[in-house]
Amino acid sequence: MASALETKAKEAFIDDHFELALDLYSQAIEQNPKQAELYADRAQANIKLNNLPEAVADANKAIELDPSMSKAYLRKANACMKLEEYQTAKAALDAGAALAPVDSRFPKLIKECEERIAEETGELPMQTSEKVTTNVVPVKEVSSHKGVPDPVTVAAPVKPSYRHEFYQKPEEVVVTIFAKGIPRECVKVDYGEQILSVAIDAPGKDAYHFLPRLFGKIIPDRCRHDVLSTKIEIRLAKAEPIHWTSLEYSREAAVPQRVNVSSVTANQRPAYPSSKPKRDWDKIEAQVKKEEKDEQLDGDAALNKFFRDIYQDADEDARRAMQKSFVESNGTVLSTNWKEVGVKKVEGSPPDGMELKKWEY
């Protein structure tokens, strides 16, 4: 039985009050977070408001809760097609058509997807043997209840719980969400052709959703994520080696420049976007190394540094001689002459006034 909130949401949707319908569906979901129907209907409200990544996330949640709901696949396909993610849309349509073979919308949209995919790949679409019926009345997706909904206070947008940053390499983009101490099972990450969906639902903490439409397309099968003790690291495999000027897509973004992968050396460091003043990390690293080199040490620290410098500058034979002589003499001899050390065992040579003892175990 539909709740009062769900009924009001359907009424608001029918009257084209999509923002109100979205808020009412969200309130209904808070009361019934396991009801797949609510997520599927909220996905449709998000589509009307052009909140396309959110619509895909809602459709995915509805499919997770009820894999047999054909309209959830339809919602996902509609949102993905608007995002020009035709491969993802077609996969959703194929699954939905298998569940609802009499629904004429599926073969019609599948044909449109195939045409779009063919345009992208430069191939001719496959001819389907099924005939699309045009005189079938579409299935109604919302209730027919009419009436003006009661006044509802729309909640202000909630500030994201966790900070995120990204950096990129020629072949991938790495997104870091700074969420500390989150159990792995509380994190769900989904990938589309140009969508990233991250949901964190940890006990005792506010639910977190990050649903950007990405700057460029990715390869979902090659993307992965790791849940670490202090953060969640997401690696997005780029579909093309282009430079992303931002993480999220915007129409105002500059035309991306293709990256020449061969010109990128291993010594180049990824740039982290930040509001803080930029620092020359190469200069800082060089300064630290210089300070370490010029540091005045005494006692054991100076002696250890002396031996370490000798070892670093030595060739392979000298290093072997140092290791062998030091171990065999119980730390009393350190030689760099492999020709001498390599042919015999190095006996211990204790300092004057001291006696070398062998311990029996």
Side-chain angles (χ1 to χ4, degrees):
M1 182 177 179
S3 67
L5 283 171
E6 183 181 359
T7 300
K8 290 178 180 179
K10 291 178 183 293
E11 292 171 353
F13 185 92
I14 291 172
D15 292 337
D16 293 342
H17 300 310
F18 302 124
E19 290 187 2
L20 179 59
L22 179 65
D23 185 68
L24 289 167
Y25 278 127
S26 297
Q27 293 181 43
I29 286 172
E30 288 181 6
Q31 294 182 1
N32 300 285
K34 300 297 183 182
Q35 188 172 338
E37 185 85 15
L38 294 174
Y39 289 97
D41 288 343
R42 189 173 71 174
Q44 183 70 347
N46 272 317
I47 291 173
K48 292 293 186 181
L49 292 169
N50 210 36
N51 301 331
L52 303 176
E54 290 85 350
V56 175
D58 278 343
N60 282 335
K61 185 64 177 179
I63 293 169
E64 178 186 337
L65 294 172
D66 185 1
S68 64
M69 182 183 291
S70 62
K71 77 172 181 180
Y73 295 94
L74 186 63
R75 301 282 193 269
K76 180 176 181 178
N78 283 331
C80 287
M81 290 181 72
K82 289 179 178 289
L83 288 167
E84 299 181 358
E85 296 196 5
Y86 301 114
Q87 296 281 2
T88 305
K90 186 176 182 301
L93 290 168
D94 288 339
L99 295 170
V102 297
D103 191 333
S104 63
R105 292 172 294 180
F106 285 107
K108 181 179 179 180
L109 290 173
I110 287 173
K111 181 180 179 181
E112 183 178 346
C113 271
E114 289 175 344
E115 291 173 351
R116 298 295 185 184
I117 292 170
E119 289 176 4
E120 288 185 346
T121 59
E123 299 175 358
L124 293 175
M126 294 177 60
Q127 299 294 325
T128 57
S129 58
E130 297 182 27
K131 294 183 179 179
V132 180
T133 308
T134 57
N135 59 349
V136 178
V137 179
V139 179
K140 288 188 177 181
E141 299 175 359
V142 294
S143 173
S144 60
H145 295 289
K146 290 285 183 180
V148 179
D150 296 335
V152 177
T153 303
V154 179
V158 180
K159 183 179 180 180
S161 306
Y162 307 110
R163 179 172 60 89
H164 72 271
E165 291 182 354
F166 85 98
Y167 68 89
Q168 62 184 302
K169 302 177 183 179
E171 72 284 355
E172 69 176 359
V173 172
V174 181
V175 181
T176 302
I177 299 175
F178 295 94
K180 186 176 181 180
I182 302 297
R184 182 177 296 273
E185 60 272 14
C186 296
V187 178
K188 182 173 178 58
V189 181
D190 291 311
Y191 309 98
E193 290 176 63
Q194 202 171 345
I195 291 179
L196 172 64
S197 173
V198 183
I200 303 176
D201 192 4
K205 298 185 179 181
D206 293 335
Y208 170 84
H209 298 280
F210 182 46
L211 307 163
R213 181 182 180 187
L214 300 172
F215 181 88
K217 292 194 174 185
I218 60 175
I219 307 172
D221 292 341
R222 290 171 53 189
C223 297
R224 59 188 177 87
H225 72 278
D226 294 312
V227 180
L228 307 175
S229 60
T230 59
K231 62 185 179 180
I232 300 167
E233 191 172 80
I234 304 167
R235 296 184 174 272
L236 306 174
K238 292 182 180 179
E240 293 182 286
I242 59 175
H243 178 74
W244 291 18
T245 58
S246 63
L247 178 62
E248 300 187 40
Y249 170 85
S250 67
R251 295 186 182 276
E252 294 76 22
V255 177
Q257 299 296 319
R258 186 175 294 272
V259 176
N260 185 357
V261 179
S262 60
S263 66
V264 179
T265 65
N267 292 328
Q268 289 180 305
R269 300 174 182 273
Y272 292 78
S274 172
S275 59
K276 298 180 180 179
K278 292 185 177 180
R279 297 181 179 180
D280 189 339
W281 293 108
D282 291 329
K283 183 177 179 180
I284 293 174
E285 182 181 8
Q287 183 178 351
V288 170
K289 287 183 177 180
K290 183 177 183 302
E291 290 175 356
E292 289 178 348
K293 185 176 181 180
D294 296 341
E295 185 179 8
Q296 298 297 321
L297 302 174
D298 54 15
D300 290 343
L303 187 62
N304 288 335
K305 183 177 184 302
F306 174 71
F307 289 141
R308 186 170 64 249
D309 291 343
I310 293 176
Y311 188 83
Q312 287 178 345
D313 296 334
D315 58 22
E316 189 64 29
D317 284 344
R319 290 184 179 184
R320 291 165 62 194
M322 292 175 71
Q323 292 174 353
K324 185 173 186 293
S325 62
F326 189 81
V327 172
E328 292 182 351
S329 68
N330 293 316
T332 60
V333 175
L334 187 65
S335 172
T336 59
N337 189 344
W338 176 248
K339 291 182 179 179
E340 178 183 322
V341 171
V343 296
K344 64 179 181 179
K345 181 178 180 180
V346 180
E347 300 295 337
S349 178
D352 293 340
M354 300 187 72
E355 181 182 354
L356 183 67
K357 290 186 177 181
K358 294 183 179 180
W359 296 94
E360 296 181 0
Y361 297 95

